[in-house]
Amino acid sequence: MINQDEVFVITEDDILKPGDKGKGKGPRAVPAAKGARGAERSGAADETVAGNAAPSRAGRRRRNPAAASTLSLFLWGLGQLYNGDGKLAALFLSCELLILAFHYFLFMTWDRIRTFAHLFFVNEWELMLYASSIDFCVIFFMIYNVAQAYRGAEARGGRFDGLHRPIVSGLASLFVPGWGQLLNGQLGKAVFFLFSFFVQVYLVVLYRLSPFFRILADIEPRQFLLNRAIKIGMAVLFVTALSWLMSTYDAFLVARYTRRIRA
């Protein structure tokens, strides 16, 4: 007689070789208490796995790439901090503070630096070239800071398709070219327009606050180089200003088009 409290366990051999009954093989009777304990252990294991998975999902909150890149655009490292990467945020913020301190030091002590450089046969024009090369590296680093915050947020929150708000995107690019493209989820366009904008700002600062014109006048008294530099600078400013308008129009148009498709 089969006891109702017994649980039969069917193994793989019982299925593959059903004719071997009576040879020590076949379903084995297991007491119901053992089966119940096994079920309890299995349920406890499932609860443990689910409990461990829940905090990990909670710890990886979705991040908005538009918000992260916007924060890093105005303050280095702030977007990385928003993404939960505190060490990288501290690195970017420290770099920004050092760069600002370096430029302030150059602006306040340029005459002393020029006098000291003459001791090593380095003229003022060469000093200006060195400083300009550093500034262009800073521009690329600024753009990398924004792009890294954007990609970091995408890695945590998935692909970003844009805000689909034409007015907001257009006004953002009118204020800072490339910002509206970030809000639209177009990082490639944003990098291009941001580079144009930073170059434009750099040229304005170079012409207005640096001794650039005086140095060119000292090098060539006939002012041929000075006039050539002014013409080249005006052409670059015109192109970057045109890209400013293109950025505004593109941000508004793309946001309106994607909103229609989404609707």
Side-chain angles (χ1 to χ4, degrees), residues 150-151 154 159-163 178-194 247 250-255 257-258:
Y150 184 96
R151 291 302 187 191
E154 271 197 336
R159 181 176 176 81
F160 179 63
D161 294 329
L163 298 180
W179 186 10
Q181 281 69 28
L182 291 173
L183 301 182
N184 289 339
Q186 296 179 312
L187 181 60
K189 287 184 179 180
V191 168
F192 171 77
F193 287 119
L194 283 175
S247 173
D250 175 80
F252 176 83
L253 191 66
V254 170
Y257 178 75
T258 54

PDB file of all heavy atoms in Angstrom, residues 150-151 154 159-163 178-194 247 250-255 257-258:
ATOM      1  N   TYR A 150      26.733  63.322 -20.299  1.00  0.00           N
ATOM      2  CA  TYR A 150      25.615  62.839 -21.122  1.00  0.00           C
ATOM      3  C   TYR A 150      25.667  61.321 -21.274  1.00  0.00           C
ATOM      4  O   TYR A 150      24.672  60.622 -21.061  1.00  0.00           O
ATOM      5  CB  TYR A 150      25.673  63.526 -22.486  1.00  0.00           C
ATOM      6  CG  TYR A 150      24.522  63.203 -23.408  1.00  0.00           C
ATOM      7  CD1 TYR A 150      23.420  64.044 -23.482  1.00  0.00           C
ATOM      8  CD2 TYR A 150      24.538  62.059 -24.209  1.00  0.00           C
ATOM      9  CE1 TYR A 150      22.362  63.760 -24.334  1.00  0.00           C
ATOM     10  CE2 TYR A 150      23.484  61.764 -25.052  1.00  0.00           C
ATOM     11  CZ  TYR A 150      22.405  62.610 -25.115  1.00  0.00           C
ATOM     12  OH  TYR A 150      21.356  62.316 -25.954  1.00  0.00           O
ATOM     13  N   ARG A 151      26.836  60.793 -21.639  1.00  0.00           N
ATOM     14  CA  ARG A 151      26.972  59.349 -21.837  1.00  0.00           C
ATOM     15  C   ARG A 151      26.820  58.585 -20.524  1.00  0.00           C
ATOM     16  O   ARG A 151      26.269  57.479 -20.491  1.00  0.00           O
ATOM     17  CB  ARG A 151      28.332  59.038 -22.463  1.00  0.00           C
ATOM     18  CG  ARG A 151      28.478  59.499 -23.902  1.00  0.00           C
ATOM     19  CD  ARG A 151      27.421  58.891 -24.790  1.00  0.00           C
ATOM     20  NE  ARG A 151      27.647  59.193 -26.196  1.00  0.00           N
ATOM     21  CZ  ARG A 151      26.767  58.956 -27.150  1.00  0.00           C
ATOM     22  NH1 ARG A 151      25.588  58.423 -26.847  1.00  0.00           N
ATOM     23  NH2 ARG A 151      27.036  59.254 -28.413  1.00  0.00           N
ATOM     24  N   GLU A 154      23.179  58.260 -19.883  1.00  0.00           N
ATOM     25  CA  GLU A 154      22.583  57.266 -20.779  1.00  0.00           C
ATOM     26  C   GLU A 154      22.904  55.847 -20.327  1.00  0.00           C
ATOM     27  O   GLU A 154      22.067  54.946 -20.452  1.00  0.00           O
ATOM     28  CB  GLU A 154      23.092  57.474 -22.211  1.00  0.00           C
ATOM     29  CG  GLU A 154      22.267  58.422 -23.032  1.00  0.00           C
ATOM     30  CD  GLU A 154      22.539  58.300 -24.515  1.00  0.00           C
ATOM     31  OE1 GLU A 154      23.638  57.841 -24.881  1.00  0.00           O
ATOM     32  OE2 GLU A 154      21.666  58.674 -25.317  1.00  0.00           O
ATOM     33  N   ARG A 159      18.810  54.916 -23.553  1.00  0.00           N
ATOM     34  CA  ARG A 159      18.923  55.879 -24.646  1.00  0.00           C
ATOM     35  C   ARG A 159      17.936  57.025 -24.453  1.00  0.00           C
ATOM     36  O   ARG A 159      16.781  56.821 -24.090  1.00  0.00           O
ATOM     37  CB  ARG A 159      18.683  55.186 -25.986  1.00  0.00           C
ATOM     38  CG  ARG A 159      18.815  56.113 -27.186  1.00  0.00           C
ATOM     39  CD  ARG A 159      18.667  55.361 -28.486  1.00  0.00           C
ATOM     40  NE  ARG A 159      18.704  56.252 -29.619  1.00  0.00           N
ATOM     41  CZ  ARG A 159      19.808  56.743 -30.167  1.00  0.00           C
ATOM     42  NH1 ARG A 159      20.976  56.397 -29.661  1.00  0.00           N
ATOM     43  NH2 ARG A 159      19.764  57.552 -31.198  1.00  0.00           N
ATOM     44  N   PHE A 160      18.420  58.241 -24.735  1.00  0.00           N
ATOM     45  CA  PHE A 160      17.618  59.447 -24.553  1.00  0.00           C
ATOM     46  C   PHE A 160      17.165  59.949 -25.919  1.00  0.00           C
ATOM     47  O   PHE A 160      17.980  60.175 -26.813  1.00  0.00           O
ATOM     48  CB  PHE A 160      18.447  60.509 -23.835  1.00  0.00           C
ATOM     49  CG  PHE A 160      17.735  61.807 -23.623  1.00  0.00           C
ATOM     50  CD1 PHE A 160      16.601  61.877 -22.830  1.00  0.00           C
ATOM     51  CD2 PHE A 160      18.199  62.968 -24.210  1.00  0.00           C
ATOM     52  CE1 PHE A 160      15.942  63.076 -22.631  1.00  0.00           C
ATOM     53  CE2 PHE A 160      17.558  64.173 -24.016  1.00  0.00           C
ATOM     54  CZ  PHE A 160      16.429  64.225 -23.222  1.00  0.00           C
ATOM     55  N   ASP A 161      15.849  60.142 -26.084  1.00  0.00           N
ATOM     56  CA  ASP A 161      15.278  60.567 -27.363  1.00  0.00           C
ATOM     57  C   ASP A 161      14.925  62.044 -27.406  1.00  0.00           C
ATOM     58  O   ASP A 161      14.369  62.514 -28.398  1.00  0.00           O
ATOM     59  CB  ASP A 161      14.022  59.743 -27.672  1.00  0.00           C
ATOM     60  CG  ASP A 161      14.349  58.276 -27.899  1.00  0.00           C
ATOM     61  OD1 ASP A 161      15.455  57.995 -28.397  1.00  0.00           O
ATOM     62  OD2 ASP A 161      13.514  57.420 -27.563  1.00  0.00           O
ATOM     63  N   GLY A 162      15.212  62.788 -26.361  1.00  0.00           N
ATOM     64  CA  GLY A 162      14.931  64.221 -26.362  1.00  0.00           C
ATOM     65  C   GLY A 162      13.704  64.578 -25.550  1.00  0.00           C
ATOM     66  O   GLY A 162      12.881  63.728 -25.195  1.00  0.00           O
ATOM     67  N   LEU A 163      13.584  65.877 -25.268  1.00  0.00           N
ATOM     68  CA  LEU A 163      12.449  66.364 -24.489  1.00  0.00           C
ATOM     69  C   LEU A 163      11.217  66.624 -25.343  1.00  0.00           C
ATOM     70  O   LEU A 163      10.108  66.703 -24.817  1.00  0.00           O
ATOM     71  CB  LEU A 163      12.838  67.661 -23.760  1.00  0.00           C
ATOM     72  CG  LEU A 163      13.981  67.562 -22.748  1.00  0.00           C
ATOM     73  CD1 LEU A 163      14.240  68.930 -22.127  1.00  0.00           C
ATOM     74  CD2 LEU A 163      13.668  66.539 -21.664  1.00  0.00           C
ATOM     75  N   GLY A 178      24.164  74.758 -29.009  1.00  0.00           N
ATOM     76  CA  GLY A 178      24.450  73.371 -28.673  1.00  0.00           C
ATOM     77  C   GLY A 178      23.660  72.863 -27.487  1.00  0.00           C
ATOM     78  O   GLY A 178      23.466  71.645 -27.346  1.00  0.00           O
ATOM     79  N   TRP A 179      23.211  73.768 -26.648  1.00  0.00           N
ATOM     80  CA  TRP A 179      22.431  73.347 -25.484  1.00  0.00           C
ATOM     81  C   TRP A 179      21.098  72.740 -25.923  1.00  0.00           C
ATOM     82  O   TRP A 179      20.657  71.714 -25.388  1.00  0.00           O
ATOM     83  CB  TRP A 179      22.213  74.544 -24.564  1.00  0.00           C
ATOM     84  CG  TRP A 179      21.558  74.217 -23.259  1.00  0.00           C
ATOM     85  CD1 TRP A 179      21.329  72.964 -22.751  1.00  0.00           C
ATOM     86  CD2 TRP A 179      21.049  75.139 -22.294  1.00  0.00           C
ATOM     87  NE1 TRP A 179      20.711  73.049 -21.528  1.00  0.00           N
ATOM     88  CE2 TRP A 179      20.523  74.373 -21.220  1.00  0.00           C
ATOM     89  CE3 TRP A 179      20.990  76.522 -22.225  1.00  0.00           C
ATOM     90  CZ2 TRP A 179      19.944  74.965 -20.102  1.00  0.00           C
ATOM     91  CZ3 TRP A 179      20.419  77.113 -21.107  1.00  0.00           C
ATOM     92  CH2 TRP A 179      19.902  76.345 -20.059  1.00  0.00           C
ATOM     93  N   GLY A 180      20.442  73.352 -26.885  1.00  0.00           N
ATOM     94  CA  GLY A 180      19.182  72.806 -27.378  1.00  0.00           C
ATOM     95  C   GLY A 180      19.351  71.433 -27.999  1.00  0.00           C
ATOM     96  O   GLY A 180      18.467  70.573 -27.890  1.00  0.00           O
ATOM     97  N   GLN A 181      20.501  71.199 -28.650  1.00  0.00           N
ATOM     98  CA  GLN A 181      20.756  69.870 -29.215  1.00  0.00           C
ATOM     99  C   GLN A 181      20.914  68.826 -28.108  1.00  0.00           C
ATOM    100  O   GLN A 181      20.514  67.672 -28.281  1.00  0.00           O
ATOM    101  CB  GLN A 181      22.016  69.911 -30.085  1.00  0.00           C
ATOM    102  CG  GLN A 181      21.807  70.494 -31.473  1.00  0.00           C
ATOM    103  CD  GLN A 181      21.517  71.991 -31.456  1.00  0.00           C
ATOM    104  OE1 GLN A 181      21.945  72.708 -30.556  1.00  0.00           O
ATOM    105  NE2 GLN A 181      20.799  72.469 -32.450  1.00  0.00           N
ATOM    106  N   LEU A 182      21.489  69.210 -26.989  1.00  0.00           N
ATOM    107  CA  LEU A 182      21.561  68.290 -25.851  1.00  0.00           C
ATOM    108  C   LEU A 182      20.166  67.936 -25.350  1.00  0.00           C
ATOM    109  O   LEU A 182      19.889  66.781 -25.011  1.00  0.00           O
ATOM    110  CB  LEU A 182      22.378  68.918 -24.720  1.00  0.00           C
ATOM    111  CG  LEU A 182      23.882  69.082 -24.957  1.00  0.00           C
ATOM    112  CD1 LEU A 182      24.508  69.861 -23.810  1.00  0.00           C
ATOM    113  CD2 LEU A 182      24.562  67.729 -25.119  1.00  0.00           C
ATOM    114  N   LEU A 183      19.283  68.921 -25.313  1.00  0.00           N
ATOM    115  CA  LEU A 183      17.911  68.661 -24.877  1.00  0.00           C
ATOM    116  C   LEU A 183      17.154  67.807 -25.885  1.00  0.00           C
ATOM    117  O   LEU A 183      16.200  67.114 -25.520  1.00  0.00           O
ATOM    118  CB  LEU A 183      17.170  69.980 -24.658  1.00  0.00           C
ATOM    119  CG  LEU A 183      17.774  70.939 -23.623  1.00  0.00           C
ATOM    120  CD1 LEU A 183      16.899  72.172 -23.472  1.00  0.00           C
ATOM    121  CD2 LEU A 183      17.954  70.248 -22.277  1.00  0.00           C
ATOM    122  N   ASN A 184      17.580  67.853 -27.149  1.00  0.00           N
ATOM    123  CA  ASN A 184      16.944  67.030 -28.183  1.00  0.00           C
ATOM    124  C   ASN A 184      17.545  65.635 -28.284  1.00  0.00           C
ATOM    125  O   ASN A 184      17.079  64.821 -29.088  1.00  0.00           O
ATOM    126  CB  ASN A 184      17.049  67.719 -29.547  1.00  0.00           C
ATOM    127  CG  ASN A 184      16.159  68.938 -29.646  1.00  0.00           C
ATOM    128  OD1 ASN A 184      15.192  69.079 -28.895  1.00  0.00           O
ATOM    129  ND2 ASN A 184      16.487  69.834 -30.564  1.00  0.00           N
ATOM    130  N   GLY A 185      18.586  65.359 -27.504  1.00  0.00           N
ATOM    131  CA  GLY A 185      19.214  64.042 -27.561  1.00  0.00           C
ATOM    132  C   GLY A 185      20.163  63.867 -28.728  1.00  0.00           C
ATOM    133  O   GLY A 185      20.402  62.736 -29.161  1.00  0.00           O
ATOM    134  N   GLN A 186      20.739  64.960 -29.246  1.00  0.00           N
ATOM    135  CA  GLN A 186      21.671  64.902 -30.377  1.00  0.00           C
ATOM    136  C   GLN A 186      23.046  65.367 -29.903  1.00  0.00           C
ATOM    137  O   GLN A 186      23.409  66.539 -30.037  1.00  0.00           O
ATOM    138  CB  GLN A 186      21.165  65.773 -31.528  1.00  0.00           C
ATOM    139  CG  GLN A 186      19.852  65.288 -32.124  1.00  0.00           C
ATOM    140  CD  GLN A 186      19.366  66.176 -33.253  1.00  0.00           C
ATOM    141  OE1 GLN A 186      19.331  67.395 -33.124  1.00  0.00           O
ATOM    142  NE2 GLN A 186      18.989  65.565 -34.363  1.00  0.00           N
ATOM    143  N   LEU A 187      23.810  64.446 -29.368  1.00  0.00           N
ATOM    144  CA  LEU A 187      25.098  64.797 -28.783  1.00  0.00           C
ATOM    145  C   LEU A 187      26.102  65.245 -29.844  1.00  0.00           C
ATOM    146  O   LEU A 187      26.894  66.164 -29.606  1.00  0.00           O
ATOM    147  CB  LEU A 187      25.654  63.606 -28.002  1.00  0.00           C
ATOM    148  CG  LEU A 187      26.993  63.828 -27.295  1.00  0.00           C
ATOM    149  CD1 LEU A 187      26.897  64.964 -26.284  1.00  0.00           C
ATOM    150  CD2 LEU A 187      27.454  62.547 -26.617  1.00  0.00           C
ATOM    151  N   GLY A 188      26.094  64.609 -31.015  1.00  0.00           N
ATOM    152  CA  GLY A 188      27.041  64.980 -32.064  1.00  0.00           C
ATOM    153  C   GLY A 188      26.882  66.424 -32.506  1.00  0.00           C
ATOM    154  O   GLY A 188      27.860  67.179 -32.607  1.00  0.00           O
ATOM    155  N   LYS A 189      25.653  66.835 -32.775  1.00  0.00           N
ATOM    156  CA  LYS A 189      25.402  68.230 -33.143  1.00  0.00           C
ATOM    157  C   LYS A 189      25.756  69.171 -31.997  1.00  0.00           C
ATOM    158  O   LYS A 189      26.290  70.268 -32.218  1.00  0.00           O
ATOM    159  CB  LYS A 189      23.935  68.418 -33.519  1.00  0.00           C
ATOM    160  CG  LYS A 189      23.536  67.841 -34.859  1.00  0.00           C
ATOM    161  CD  LYS A 189      22.086  68.180 -35.146  1.00  0.00           C
ATOM    162  CE  LYS A 189      21.653  67.635 -36.503  1.00  0.00           C
ATOM    163  NZ  LYS A 189      20.230  67.975 -36.785  1.00  0.00           N
ATOM    164  N   ALA A 190      25.459  68.751 -30.790  1.00  0.00           N
ATOM    165  CA  ALA A 190      25.749  69.598 -29.631  1.00  0.00           C
ATOM    166  C   ALA A 190      27.244  69.865 -29.509  1.00  0.00           C
ATOM    167  O   ALA A 190      27.662  70.994 -29.220  1.00  0.00           O
ATOM    168  CB  ALA A 190      25.221  68.939 -28.360  1.00  0.00           C
ATOM    169  N   VAL A 191      28.061  68.850 -29.730  1.00  0.00           N
ATOM    170  CA  VAL A 191      29.515  69.022 -29.649  1.00  0.00           C
ATOM    171  C   VAL A 191      29.996  70.024 -30.698  1.00  0.00           C
ATOM    172  O   VAL A 191      30.831  70.896 -30.414  1.00  0.00           O
ATOM    173  CB  VAL A 191      30.217  67.661 -29.824  1.00  0.00           C
ATOM    174  CG1 VAL A 191      31.712  67.846 -30.032  1.00  0.00           C
ATOM    175  CG2 VAL A 191      29.959  66.776 -28.608  1.00  0.00           C
ATOM    176  N   PHE A 192      29.466  69.932 -31.912  1.00  0.00           N
ATOM    177  CA  PHE A 192      29.871  70.850 -32.982  1.00  0.00           C
ATOM    178  C   PHE A 192      29.511  72.298 -32.641  1.00  0.00           C
ATOM    179  O   PHE A 192      30.352  73.207 -32.734  1.00  0.00           O
ATOM    180  CB  PHE A 192      29.208  70.433 -34.295  1.00  0.00           C
ATOM    181  CG  PHE A 192      29.391  71.423 -35.408  1.00  0.00           C
ATOM    182  CD1 PHE A 192      30.599  71.509 -36.083  1.00  0.00           C
ATOM    183  CD2 PHE A 192      28.359  72.275 -35.776  1.00  0.00           C
ATOM    184  CE1 PHE A 192      30.777  72.433 -37.107  1.00  0.00           C
ATOM    185  CE2 PHE A 192      28.527  73.194 -36.798  1.00  0.00           C
ATOM    186  CZ  PHE A 192      29.743  73.276 -37.464  1.00  0.00           C
ATOM    187  N   PHE A 193      28.281  72.529 -32.230  1.00  0.00           N
ATOM    188  CA  PHE A 193      27.851  73.894 -31.945  1.00  0.00           C
ATOM    189  C   PHE A 193      28.508  74.443 -30.675  1.00  0.00           C
ATOM    190  O   PHE A 193      28.801  75.645 -30.597  1.00  0.00           O
ATOM    191  CB  PHE A 193      26.330  73.947 -31.818  1.00  0.00           C
ATOM    192  CG  PHE A 193      25.611  73.818 -33.129  1.00  0.00           C
ATOM    193  CD1 PHE A 193      24.740  72.763 -33.361  1.00  0.00           C
ATOM    194  CD2 PHE A 193      25.799  74.746 -34.139  1.00  0.00           C
ATOM    195  CE1 PHE A 193      24.077  72.641 -34.573  1.00  0.00           C
ATOM    196  CE2 PHE A 193      25.141  74.633 -35.357  1.00  0.00           C
ATOM    197  CZ  PHE A 193      24.278  73.575 -35.571  1.00  0.00           C
ATOM    198  N   LEU A 194      28.744  73.586 -29.704  1.00  0.00           N
ATOM    199  CA  LEU A 194      29.444  74.043 -28.503  1.00  0.00           C
ATOM    200  C   LEU A 194      30.878  74.453 -28.823  1.00  0.00           C
ATOM    201  O   LEU A 194      31.385  75.446 -28.287  1.00  0.00           O
ATOM    202  CB  LEU A 194      29.437  72.943 -27.444  1.00  0.00           C
ATOM    203  CG  LEU A 194      28.136  72.741 -26.666  1.00  0.00           C
ATOM    204  CD1 LEU A 194      28.252  71.535 -25.751  1.00  0.00           C
ATOM    205  CD2 LEU A 194      27.784  73.979 -25.853  1.00  0.00           C
ATOM    206  N   SER A 247      22.161  76.840 -34.917  1.00  0.00           N
ATOM    207  CA  SER A 247      21.893  75.998 -33.750  1.00  0.00           C
ATOM    208  C   SER A 247      20.495  76.246 -33.202  1.00  0.00           C
ATOM    209  O   SER A 247      19.766  75.306 -32.858  1.00  0.00           O
ATOM    210  CB  SER A 247      22.940  76.271 -32.666  1.00  0.00           C
ATOM    211  OG  SER A 247      22.616  75.604 -31.469  1.00  0.00           O
ATOM    212  N   ASP A 250      17.920  74.852 -35.755  1.00  0.00           N
ATOM    213  CA  ASP A 250      17.961  73.387 -35.777  1.00  0.00           C
ATOM    214  C   ASP A 250      17.325  72.797 -34.524  1.00  0.00           C
ATOM    215  O   ASP A 250      16.574  71.815 -34.603  1.00  0.00           O
ATOM    216  CB  ASP A 250      19.407  72.919 -35.903  1.00  0.00           C
ATOM    217  CG  ASP A 250      19.544  71.410 -35.802  1.00  0.00           C
ATOM    218  OD1 ASP A 250      19.286  70.723 -36.809  1.00  0.00           O
ATOM    219  OD2 ASP A 250      19.907  70.916 -34.714  1.00  0.00           O
ATOM    220  N   ALA A 251      17.614  73.373 -33.365  1.00  0.00           N
ATOM    221  CA  ALA A 251      17.056  72.845 -32.119  1.00  0.00           C
ATOM    222  C   ALA A 251      15.533  72.940 -32.123  1.00  0.00           C
ATOM    223  O   ALA A 251      14.832  71.991 -31.735  1.00  0.00           O
ATOM    224  CB  ALA A 251      17.632  73.603 -30.925  1.00  0.00           C
ATOM    225  N   PHE A 252      15.006  74.075 -32.558  1.00  0.00           N
ATOM    226  CA  PHE A 252      13.555  74.249 -32.602  1.00  0.00           C
ATOM    227  C   PHE A 252      12.912  73.309 -33.618  1.00  0.00           C
ATOM    228  O   PHE A 252      11.896  72.657 -33.332  1.00  0.00           O
ATOM    229  CB  PHE A 252      13.225  75.703 -32.945  1.00  0.00           C
ATOM    230  CG  PHE A 252      11.754  75.972 -33.098  1.00  0.00           C
ATOM    231  CD1 PHE A 252      10.966  76.205 -31.981  1.00  0.00           C
ATOM    232  CD2 PHE A 252      11.158  75.983 -34.348  1.00  0.00           C
ATOM    233  CE1 PHE A 252       9.604  76.447 -32.114  1.00  0.00           C
ATOM    234  CE2 PHE A 252       9.802  76.225 -34.490  1.00  0.00           C
ATOM    235  CZ  PHE A 252       9.023  76.461 -33.370  1.00  0.00           C
ATOM    236  N   LEU A 253      13.519  73.208 -34.799  1.00  0.00           N
ATOM    237  CA  LEU A 253      12.928  72.401 -35.868  1.00  0.00           C
ATOM    238  C   LEU A 253      12.943  70.916 -35.519  1.00  0.00           C
ATOM    239  O   LEU A 253      11.947  70.207 -35.718  1.00  0.00           O
ATOM    240  CB  LEU A 253      13.691  72.647 -37.175  1.00  0.00           C
ATOM    241  CG  LEU A 253      13.053  72.092 -38.455  1.00  0.00           C
ATOM    242  CD1 LEU A 253      11.746  72.817 -38.736  1.00  0.00           C
ATOM    243  CD2 LEU A 253      14.010  72.253 -39.630  1.00  0.00           C
ATOM    244  N   VAL A 254      14.053  70.427 -34.996  1.00  0.00           N
ATOM    245  CA  VAL A 254      14.157  69.003 -34.659  1.00  0.00           C
ATOM    246  C   VAL A 254      13.198  68.640 -33.536  1.00  0.00           C
ATOM    247  O   VAL A 254      12.537  67.592 -33.577  1.00  0.00           O
ATOM    248  CB  VAL A 254      15.612  68.658 -34.278  1.00  0.00           C
ATOM    249  CG1 VAL A 254      15.698  67.257 -33.685  1.00  0.00           C
ATOM    250  CG2 VAL A 254      16.513  68.756 -35.500  1.00  0.00           C
ATOM    251  N   ALA A 255      13.099  69.488 -32.526  1.00  0.00           N
ATOM    252  CA  ALA A 255      12.185  69.198 -31.416  1.00  0.00           C
ATOM    253  C   ALA A 255      10.732  69.162 -31.892  1.00  0.00           C
ATOM    254  O   ALA A 255       9.945  68.304 -31.468  1.00  0.00           O
ATOM    255  CB  ALA A 255      12.357  70.240 -30.317  1.00  0.00           C
ATOM    256  N   TYR A 257       9.702  68.464 -34.966  1.00  0.00           N
ATOM    257  CA  TYR A 257       9.527  67.300 -35.842  1.00  0.00           C
ATOM    258  C   TYR A 257       9.404  66.014 -35.031  1.00  0.00           C
ATOM    259  O   TYR A 257       8.527  65.181 -35.288  1.00  0.00           O
ATOM    260  CB  TYR A 257      10.705  67.219 -36.807  1.00  0.00           C
ATOM    261  CG  TYR A 257      10.660  66.017 -37.724  1.00  0.00           C
ATOM    262  CD1 TYR A 257       9.772  65.974 -38.795  1.00  0.00           C
ATOM    263  CD2 TYR A 257      11.509  64.929 -37.516  1.00  0.00           C
ATOM    264  CE1 TYR A 257       9.725  64.873 -39.637  1.00  0.00           C
ATOM    265  CE2 TYR A 257      11.469  63.829 -38.346  1.00  0.00           C
ATOM    266  CZ  TYR A 257      10.579  63.801 -39.409  1.00  0.00           C
ATOM    267  OH  TYR A 257      10.533  62.707 -40.230  1.00  0.00           O
ATOM    268  N   THR A 258      10.271  65.830 -34.052  1.00  0.00           N
ATOM    269  CA  THR A 258      10.213  64.612 -33.237  1.00  0.00           C
ATOM    270  C   THR A 258       8.946  64.563 -32.387  1.00  0.00           C
ATOM    271  O   THR A 258       8.420  63.483 -32.113  1.00  0.00           O
ATOM    272  CB  THR A 258      11.447  64.524 -32.332  1.00  0.00           C
ATOM    273  OG1 THR A 258      11.569  65.736 -31.559  1.00  0.00           O
ATOM    274  CG2 THR A 258      12.703  64.336 -33.156  1.00  0.00           C
TER     275      THR A 258
END
